[in-house]
Amino acid sequence: MAANVAANSRYAATDSRTWTTPDGQAIAYLARRFLPHPENLAGTGSHVVVAGDRLDNIAAAALGDPELWWRVADANRAMLPRELTGEPGATLRIALPEGVPGVPHV
């Protein structure tokens, strides 16, 4: 787990690494985070975009935390998250983070 990263951050599960400069100074950094494949994320719901929607407000309503907006972006393969709310009527997928299995539907 990454050091000094909030538990609700998209980087919480990202490994920390250290690079040592030629003069021996250790510099900590986060490993690269790759976007997950949305089809591998367990869905929890959806949201139909209305004019004026913002990802933080959608995340607050659907996930209980506005800082989880990145989960909506990941679930919809968004490289530019602000574009997800640009078209009223679009349906956004809400999903669990990568590696968290969903509850099987019976």
Side-chain angles (χ1 to χ4, degrees), residues 76-99:
N76 292 279
R77 198 182 306 268
M79 291 297 291
L80 300 172
R82 67 182 168 274
E83 291 180 355
L84 289 175
T85 56
E87 184 180 332
T91 300
L92 301 180
R93 185 169 182 256
I94 309 296
L96 295 171
E98 187 172 34

Side-chain angles (χ1 to χ4, degrees), residues 39-96:
E39 57 275 8
N40 294 336
L41 303 177
T44 61
S46 62
H47 173 84
V48 177
V49 175
V50 297
D53 261 349
R54 295 188 344 222
L55 284 185
D56 60 335
N57 291 335
I58 294 168
L63 303 169
D65 184 347
E67 292 186 9
L68 293 177
W69 62 267
W70 58 271
R71 283 181 35 193
V72 180
D74 281 359
N76 292 279
R77 198 182 306 268
M79 291 297 291
L80 300 172
R82 67 182 168 274
E83 291 180 355
L84 289 175
T85 56
E87 184 180 332
T91 300
L92 301 180
R93 185 169 182 256
I94 309 296
L96 295 171

Side-chain angles (χ1 to χ4, degrees), residues 17-45:
R17 299 198 176 149
T18 304
W19 176 69
T20 304
T21 64
D23 67 354
Q25 179 184 6
I27 299 174
Y29 67 97
L30 293 177
R32 185 173 181 184
R33 177 186 183 266
F34 292 96
L35 292 176
H37 295 281
E39 57 275 8
N40 294 336
L41 303 177
T44 61

